[in-house]
Amino acid sequence: MDRLSSLFKDLGVKPDKPKVLEARDIPSIAKYIKSNQCKNIMLMTGAGISTSAGIPDFRSKDTGLYANLARLNLPYPEAVFDINYFRENPQPFYTLAAELYPGYYRPTVTHSFIRLLAEKKLLHTCFTQNIDTLERVAGVPPNVIIEAHGSFATQRCIKCKQVFPDEEMKKLVLNAEIPQCHKCMGLVKPDIVFFGEGLPDDFTDAIPYLQYADLLIIMGTSLTVYPFAGLRSMVPATCPRILINLDKVSDIGSRPNDVVLLMDCDEAVRKLCDEIGDGWREELEELWKATEGSFTPRPEPKAAAPAEASKNEKGRPKNHLVLEEEVARMAKKVEERSKAQADRAKAKHEKQVVPDVSTIDAKAVDEKDSKESALESSVHQPHQTPHYEDANSRPVVPGKEKPSLVHKAEEAKEEDKETVAGSK
């Protein structure tokens, strides 16, 4: 019994019975999917559908990337996906991108379920917050995928918008190098929506589709990031909404046709396919099996000592431990790469020859200064020396310096309340 039903019971009020579903359970959902009434299924997906692939989410307390990146030299953890901070210092993002880049992770059973819905001609649109492109890898047709926060699939210059070659981008990112535009030498960024950026036009254009939804399935998302989270309220009032998540979120459960399934996404879709029957479960497993060669697995981490493993696993889900290990590995790798980058910059700076003032001929310096002074006075137009922010940046016209990073960070935090992140 969900919380809403429990509240009605305590108040002595009988809740409205579902007007479309026979009951708020998996058998009723399965029966509805098999009926002629259910023709257009819409999906809303988040990081929770990818965690079983080993990809950590961003906001979880223990396994989230933001919590583990806090130890890095960032003004705040989310700065790694902040467009203003990226313009100032793109290195943290690219050290992290080398770890998150597509190719290391296999699609999950849930991704294969999305493809199964597409093959059954039931999937109308899949709205996803994820940037990992695993829907594409699983074989979901690109024309039904709306990547609300963008993805690693394409990239372009943030200055002139010139598209950057895929293979070159992959090579640079995997080496944690910063790609620059061949046309204007501006910074190149994957088409991931950062804090401070607008959403893709595809997302906005697809919102009207929701009015035609016969069923909305929401999987693996906290429904806290807007405007994506607002999509749940844009389907018709009679449209059943199914939440598959480890935690109860938002207002799902408040409508008569809402169903809340508090369980792992992979487990839920398998149970649903079993209930539908007609070979759905077998087809699901075949589609997932076909993804075995779609990725290059990372080397297995060293096993923990028996005593330590026993202590850590007490009362802890295995998948939770795997995620913690993966997040720790990622954060450590990013930290190592950032330190190596700083060490290289320091070494480069130290190699610069600094003259020993004790060996300088004062008379020669005076003669040189006199010649330069005479030459300077003979020039009518004064020469303006370009001002550089740092050793690696391009010149900034004096009088038009960029606002300080601290100021930008404050603005970004304010924008975060109403602006969608990438993610994250």
Side-chain angles (χ1 to χ4, degrees), residues 118-140:
E119 294 197 349
K120 296 291 184 181
K121 308 298 182 185
L122 291 171
L123 179 62
H124 187 286
T125 306
C126 173
F127 293 90
T128 182
Q129 292 174 286
N130 299 338
I131 62 176
D132 53 38
T133 72
L134 287 183
E135 294 87 3
R136 297 169 183 255
V137 178
V140 180

Side-chain angles (χ1 to χ4, degrees), residues 29-103:
I29 300 169
K31 185 175 181 180
Y32 179 64
I33 290 175
K34 293 169 66 176
S35 73
N36 292 329
Q37 292 177 277
C38 185
K39 297 179 180 179
N40 295 316
I41 297 178
M42 306 285 182
L43 300 179
M44 291 174 61
T45 66
I49 74 169
S50 296
T51 51
S52 63
I55 302 177
D57 64 12
F58 292 89
R59 299 177 185 276
S60 292
K61 181 179 179 181
D62 297 320
T63 61
L65 275 178
Y66 287 152
N68 285 270
L69 290 177
R71 64 185 182 182
L72 299 182
N73 188 25
L74 297 170
Y76 49 96
E78 293 87 348
V80 73
F81 289 111
D82 184 284
I83 189 61
N84 291 323
Y85 185 77
F86 178 83
R87 289 191 178 102
E88 297 281 348
N89 182 15
Q91 190 64 52
F93 168 75
Y94 276 111
T95 52
L96 178 61
E99 297 299 311
L100 294 176
Y101 206 74

Side-chain angles (χ1 to χ4, degrees), residues 334-355:
V334 171
E335 191 172 26
E336 289 173 351
R337 283 178 169 161
S338 297
K339 185 177 184 301
Q341 180 73 11
D343 289 343
R344 286 195 295 270
K346 182 179 179 181
K348 182 178 179 181
H349 176 72
E350 290 176 348
K351 283 182 180 180
Q352 295 178 354
V353 179
V354 180

Side-chain angles (χ1 to χ4, degrees), residues 178-393:
I178 301 173
Q180 289 184 297
C181 178
H182 299 311
K183 183 178 179 181
C184 72
M185 295 304 292
L187 292 171
V188 173
K189 180 182 74 68
D191 290 332
I192 297 169
V193 179
F194 277 26
F195 290 107
E197 290 188 307
L199 296 176
D201 291 339
D202 288 349
F203 173 78
T204 306
D205 294 342
I207 289 177
Y209 297 159
L210 291 162
Q211 64 183 307
Y212 304 111
D214 298 316
L215 176 65
L216 175 64
I217 304 178
I218 305 167
M219 298 187 286
T221 173
S222 61
L223 292 179
T224 56
V225 180
Y226 285 81
F228 183 90
L231 299 180
R232 73 188 189 281
S233 302
M234 298 182 183
V235 296
T238 56
C239 174
R241 301 185 302 178
I242 316 301
L243 173 67
I244 303 174
N245 203 46
L246 294 178
D247 302 300
K248 174 75 167 61
V249 297
S250 188
D251 62 348
I252 305 301
S254 62
R255 293 184 181 182
N257 293 299
D258 286 354
V259 180
V260 178
L261 304 175
L262 300 182
M263 62 179 69
D264 175 77
C265 293
D266 292 346
E267 177 189 359
V269 298
R270 280 181 164 133
K271 286 185 176 182
L272 181 56
C273 286
D274 284 338
E275 195 66 42
I276 292 174
D278 297 333
W280 273 56
R281 175 64 182 270
E282 291 75 15
E283 291 181 59
L284 174 66
E285 299 298 341
E286 283 297 319
L287 289 175
W288 189 53
K289 184 178 180 181
T291 66
E292 286 180 348
S294 64
F295 72 114
T296 302
R298 295 182 186 275
E300 288 290 333
K302 293 182 179 180
E308 182 182 351
S310 175
K311 178 182 178 182
N312 288 341
E313 291 174 7
K314 186 177 180 180
R316 308 282 296 286
K318 181 180 179 182
N319 187 48
H320 190 84
L321 291 169
V322 171
L323 280 178
E324 285 189 353
E325 291 173 358
E326 179 68 1
V327 169
R329 185 197 64 75
M330 280 187 180
K332 182 178 179 181
K333 195 72 174 179
V334 171
E335 191 172 26
E336 289 173 351
R337 283 178 169 161
S338 297
K339 185 177 184 301
Q341 180 73 11
D343 289 343
R344 286 195 295 270
K346 182 179 179 181
K348 182 178 179 181
H349 176 72
E350 290 176 348
K351 283 182 180 180
Q352 295 178 354
V353 179
V354 180
D356 184 355
V357 294
S358 64
T359 62
I360 298 178
D361 187 336
K363 184 177 180 181
V365 171
D366 290 340
E367 291 177 356
K368 182 180 178 182
D369 289 344
S370 297
K371 292 179 180 180
E372 289 180 349
S373 178
L375 178 62
E376 200 172 286
S377 63
S378 66
V379 180
H380 298 291
Q381 295 290 340
H383 177 69
Q384 191 176 50
T385 303
H387 166 65
Y388 288 79
E389 290 181 306
D390 57 64
N392 298 315
S393 66

